[in-house]
Amino acid sequence: MKKHVLSLFIAVWLCTLTMTSCSAAEISAASSGTGLDSAKLTSESQPAAPFLDVPVDAWYAEAIAYCRQKGIMSGTTSTTFVPEATLTRAMLAAVLHRMSDTPTVSDPPAFTDAVAGSWYSDAVSWAAKTGVVSGYGGGTFGVNDPTTREQAVTILWRYAGNPESTGTAGVSDAASISTWAQAAVRWAEVNGILDGMLENNRFDPKANMKRGEVASMLYHYLSNNASSQPEPAASGRTLVAYFSATNTTRPLAEYVADILRADLYEIVPEDPYTDADLAYYTNGRADREQNDPAARPAISGSLENMADYDVIFLGYPIWHGQAPRIISTFLESYDLTGKTIVPFCTSHSSGIGSSDSNLHALASGANWLAGRRFASGTTRSTMEDWINSLDLPEQLTAVDAVTSAAGKAAFNFETKSVTLNSGYEMPINGLGTYSLHGETCVDSVKSALASGVRLIDTASAYGNEEEVGQAVREAMEELGLQREDIFVITKIYPGSEMANPEQSIQACLDRLDLGYVDMMLLHHPDRNDVKAYQAMEKFVEDGKIRSLGLSNWYVKELEEFLPQVSITPALVQNEIHPYYQENDVIPYIQDLGIVVQGWYPLGGRGHTGELLGDEVISGIAKAHGVSSAQVILRWNLQKSVVVIPGSSNPDHIKENTELYDFALTDKEMAKINALDRNEKHDWY
Ligand code: NAP
């Protein structure tokens, strides 16, 4: 016991002597069970002794020195780093937590395998809460589980905010990378984060990540990240100033700032607007202000460095056809002479109209560019297209070229997946489980997973979430799959479920028992749908749901719904088959950056005979040597519609995955498009 206390004292003393704070690993090794707080061990100015087990010419030596110097990782003792040791999930969480300046977490999620007050507990809570590292099902985090290379890269990618990545990983074993890790690995590869880690261009995704490799990964991430930041424009800077009372304009302003690497400034009213203030035609505050051209609501605080900006993007909602009067206050508060101003507004239906010219009159010395209206939920890529179309000072377009992030959701037929606007990757063919129950359901889902299907669609209303969860868990065990390999969608139903959304959402999670759900949809519009969606948004914040979506929502429903929610849905699931094609609705949804998924792809039970026997479809099938079902599913995929055919027949299930070795010609697509009868096979 005395020996333990002494060695602990020495370890702590040695840590304080080194350049950095002690790593989670070394505190753990020296003091397991003591509750010592690594954050309290501060750095000192003495130079650190070299690590005896890190040869100066080792490929990771520079990375380890960098991470040590930055205080991100340090040795297992003052003279050893043990670069070959594997890194546990808790350790990786601790490293990233430290990279984020060790934020504290209120109301942390509890994990049965995480010891409260331990060296990792804050980091684990932070990681789970932010979604950087999710817990497993059954309330565990996997504190001591090793981290595989693909997991580690995915975790870093999530930490980086799920940056968009396109193209296919060029590593020789790309095919063995799990679907959920593909985007992350591609991103890491393109950004040089894997430099040094690839032997013979192999990534070895399932191998355990070693400490030296983690140091290398972080070193390349941090140094490349820093170096890839565009230099500030040589003269003048860009500001994005916006007012957003209901959070509709905010995301668009954030996109613009991000695309242009501009500064963001929120125009905050001194007296914030309440819901009652904003209620139209009640002679409430907004009504009165908008009716009074002289109204100038006060702004809280001011922008000290307005003189630094040459270009100002000005975002606002449209209230009664005009910009809110607080925008007038803003324009009159500064000398904007000679600055370029680019207005943009958000509105459900009105255009930018005279708000534009009326505002220009308040800043007549400015170079005023034509403004534009955007609908709520407008995607980053639309904003980017707009910015590219503007006649901006030269240095701005140059900065813009460096950034381009999100794009329209494009199907990747090699990875058989699509990247959602939430940043997660989703397979583009799956299994629908409506009408599958009991053992049939378990067997069908397992058969699908064994055939390579990685997307399963269920719903509370199908009454089979327990079976789906059981099948997924069993398949993970039997097929060696990980939770992240499988994408599970469920839905909550109108009526009592949407009236009590927190309870219903939790019930879905409990029935599935998979730790988190990849996507949750509102099954149908309902009088409580906004409230239910907002509850789902909270579960996203808590990391229990990863992406959100809607089902049976069409243009009008979307127009009404989107302005009322914060997270743009990642997916809309609607009835789509050759006899009911939704040709007006699909492009509308896709233009919003939302992925479309078709239910009843084969016409639905009771209708499949006619559709599969359709002369046009069977003729095309014959020409390609495939089945009618495959032709219909492929037609959907070529229209960028995700397919979830339902089946309990293992042969059909397998057949429905074989969609990537043939392609329909434009003529064949046109022939199937001509089959549309606007014939819905269900009422919703
Ligand atoms: P579906 O996929 O259009 O058709 C299923 C029928 O097709 C089954 O009878 C199945 O029979 C047969 N089938 C499947 N693959 C076949 C193949 N290769 N060759 C011949 N027949 C084949 O209809 P669904 O299952 O009702 O709908 C698909 C999924 O969409 C549902 O499972 C559910 O997840 C979702 N959905 C959502 C909503 C909503 O409101 N959001 C509504 C309805 C459905 P076997 O079992 O014999 O293969």
Side-chain angles (χ1 to χ4, degrees):
M1 180 68 173
K2 268 186 186 161
K3 198 173 165 197
H4 174 78
V5 172
L6 179 65
S7 61
L8 170 62
F9 173 77
I10 291 169
V12 170
W13 175 73
L14 282 171
C15 286
T16 55
L17 276 182
T18 61
M19 284 285 286
T20 69
S21 61
C22 275
S23 73
E26 65 198 330
I27 291 292
S28 160
S31 66
S32 54
T34 62
L36 241 181
D37 180 357
S38 67
K40 289 190 184 129
L41 300 171
T42 52
S43 40
E44 296 286 338
S45 55
Q46 287 90 335
F51 290 129
L52 301 176
D53 56 354
V54 179
V56 280
D57 58 351
W59 68 269
Y60 42 66
E62 193 177 335
I64 291 174
Y66 175 90
C67 290
R68 185 188 208 189
Q69 194 256 327
K70 293 275 174 202
I72 302 163
M73 292 180 85
S74 54
T76 52
T77 71
S78 62
T79 53
T80 56
F81 186 83
V82 197
E84 295 297 313
T86 55
L87 197 90
T88 64
R89 285 161 60 84
M91 287 175 187
L92 186 52
V95 168
L96 295 176
H97 186 224
R98 219 174 288 147
M99 249 164 71
S100 294
D101 294 332
T102 51
T104 46
V105 178
S106 55
D107 188 22
F111 293 106
T112 51
D113 61 342
V115 179
S118 56
W119 58 265
Y120 55 71
S121 60
D122 280 356
V124 162
S125 299
W126 164 84
K129 192 97 179 169
T130 54
V132 170
V133 192
S134 315
Y136 296 146
T140 60
F141 184 84
V143 170
N144 295 316
D145 289 357
T147 319
T148 64
R149 287 170 143 227
E150 63 180 1
Q151 284 172 342
V153 169
T154 305
I155 286 167
L156 181 64
W157 175 70
R158 272 194 223 132
Y159 173 88
N162 304 339
E164 177 75 11
S165 67
T166 51
T168 310
V171 293
S172 58
D173 54 351
S176 56
I177 299 169
S178 302
T179 313
W180 49 263
Q182 292 280 358
V185 175
R186 270 202 308 277
W187 162 79
E189 189 188 25
V190 168
N191 288 286
I193 292 164
L194 303 183
D195 286 3
M197 277 174 65
L198 306 178
E199 214 166 306
N200 297 327
N201 203 30
R202 274 181 62 79
F203 175 58
D204 218 352
K206 315 288 183 215
N208 288 339
M209 194 78 175
K210 296 173 183 159
R211 281 169 56 81
E213 292 168 344
V214 172
S216 166
M217 180 176 85
L218 299 179
Y219 166 64
H220 286 110
Y221 167 69
L222 290 171
S223 46
N224 293 353
N225 207 33
S227 62
S228 70
Q229 297 294 324
E231 293 295 317
S235 63
R237 285 158 52 188
T238 303
L239 176 75
V240 180
Y242 72 97
F243 168 65
S244 184
T246 58
N247 288 333
T248 309
T249 308
R250 185 191 314 279
L252 274 54
E254 287 171 351
Y255 287 147
V256 177
D258 192 36
I259 290 165
L260 292 172
R261 301 280 159 97
D263 292 345
L264 193 63
Y265 170 70
E266 182 176 2
I267 301 167
V268 179
E270 213 166 79
D271 181 11
Y273 290 86
T274 63
D275 287 350
D277 288 342
L278 296 175
Y280 273 12
Y281 305 115
T282 57
N283 198 29
R285 178 176 162 200
D287 282 354
R288 290 195 309 276
E289 287 174 1
Q290 294 307 96
N291 284 331
D292 174 8
R296 293 291 181 271
I299 295 173
S300 165
S302 67
L303 197 67
E304 299 297 319
N305 62 337
M306 181 58 98
D308 294 348
Y309 299 104
D310 278 354
V311 178
I312 301 165
F313 281 75
L314 183 59
Y316 53 86
I318 290 287
W319 289 359
H320 290 299
Q322 291 299 323
R325 299 290 175 210
I326 197 165
I327 298 295
S328 308
T329 316
F330 173 79
L331 291 172
E332 289 176 349
S333 302
Y334 303 95
D335 178 7
L336 302 173
T337 310
K339 298 189 191 295
T340 297
I341 299 189
V342 192
F344 65 97
C345 69
T346 50
S347 156
H348 175 44
S349 51
S350 326
I352 197 158
S354 59
S355 74
D356 195 346
S357 45
N358 287 345
L359 291 177
H360 187 188
L362 302 176
S364 53
N367 167 31
W368 197 271
L369 298 194
R372 180 158 154 197
R373 172 194 86 96
F374 294 95
S376 154
T378 294
T379 60
R380 181 189 157 112
S381 63
T382 304
M383 299 306 286
E384 200 168 334
D385 290 347
W386 171 61
I387 290 168
N388 279 330
S389 73
L390 293 171
D391 190 13
L392 290 172
E394 252 173 40
Q395 77 269 16
L396 281 179
T397 34
V399 174
D400 180 46
V402 180
T403 51
S404 98
K408 275 195 185 130
F411 281 18
N412 183 333
F413 279 51
E414 279 180 40
T415 58
K416 302 170 187 170
S417 66
V418 58
T419 302
L420 302 169
N421 64 14
S422 57
Y424 288 99
E425 205 164 356
M426 186 184 77
I428 52 180
N429 66 283
L431 176 78
T433 66
Y434 170 54
S435 77
L436 302 178
H437 295 103
E439 259 180 53
T440 308
C441 179
V442 175
D443 292 347
S444 305
V445 173
K446 285 174 74 171
S447 160
L449 291 168
S451 297
V453 171
R454 295 289 179 265
L455 167 67
I456 310 292
D457 179 65
T458 178
S460 160
Y462 302 167
N464 61 10
E465 286 170 307
E466 282 175 1
E467 290 100 305
V468 168
Q470 178 192 335
V472 170
R473 287 192 304 277
E474 287 180 12
M476 282 165 61
E477 183 82 29
E478 290 162 21
L479 302 172
L481 296 173
Q482 309 221 14
R483 174 63 187 89
E484 283 86 356
D485 293 333
I486 303 164
F487 196 107
V488 177
I489 301 179
T490 192
K491 320 179 186 85
I492 58 168
Y493 207 70
S496 61
E497 288 197 7
M498 290 196 200
N500 306 289
E502 286 83 9
Q503 206 180 319
S504 328
I505 295 165
Q506 189 56 50
C508 290
L509 284 160
D510 292 345
R511 285 190 294 264
L512 281 164
D513 192 15
L514 293 171
Y516 64 90
V517 57
D518 295 276
M519 179 179 281
M520 191 171 283
L521 314 181
L522 296 183
H523 210 140
H524 296 269
D526 177 69
R527 64 196 165 92
N528 285 313
D529 52 21
V530 171
K531 167 177 148 177
Y533 194 92
Q534 286 166 346
M536 296 202 303
E537 290 177 333
K538 292 207 185 85
F539 277 74
V540 171
E541 271 172 37
D542 292 345
K544 292 290 181 189
I545 302 177
R546 292 198 163 172
S547 304
L548 299 181
L550 303 167
S551 175
N552 302 304
W553 249 263
Y554 305 93
V555 175
K556 185 171 160 290
E557 288 84 353
L558 282 164
E559 278 180 353
E560 282 169 12
F561 187 82
L562 293 181
Q564 303 180 65
V565 297
S566 302
I567 300 179
T568 302
L571 178 138
V572 172
Q573 188 189 93
N574 283 348
E575 179 175 347
I576 296 165
H577 47 76
Y579 293 162
Y580 186 75
Q581 299 195 7
E582 295 236 294
N583 285 324
D584 294 339
V585 183
I586 294 174
Y588 171 82
I589 298 173
Q590 290 173 337
D591 279 353
L592 293 170
I594 299 173
V595 169
V596 175
Q597 189 175 58
W599 56 261
Y600 279 178
L602 304 177
R605 277 158 219 273
H607 295 279
T608 53
E610 190 187 358
L611 194 53
L612 297 179
D614 186 287
E615 269 182 22
V616 171
I617 293 169
S618 23
I620 295 171
K622 203 166 163 209
H624 286 278
V626 296
S627 70
S628 290
Q630 288 171 317
V631 167
I632 295 170
L633 298 175
R634 177 77 198 192
W635 166 77
N636 274 290
L637 294 182
Q638 288 185 213
K639 284 164 69 98
S640 294
V641 172
V642 176
V643 289
I644 43 164
S647 179
S648 57
N649 176 332
D651 293 336
H652 287 165
I653 290 173
K654 185 159 184 306
E655 181 182 309
N656 295 346
T657 66
E658 292 163 357
L659 309 172
Y660 302 95
D661 290 336
F662 72 103
L664 302 177
T665 62
D666 290 349
K667 215 165 160 190
E668 289 166 338
M669 288 294 289
K671 276 185 173 179
I672 304 176
N673 291 346
L675 296 178
D676 193 12
R677 301 175 181 169
N678 200 23
E679 178 184 287
K680 232 177 167 317
H681 289 170
D682 231 318
W683 59 271
Y684 30 85

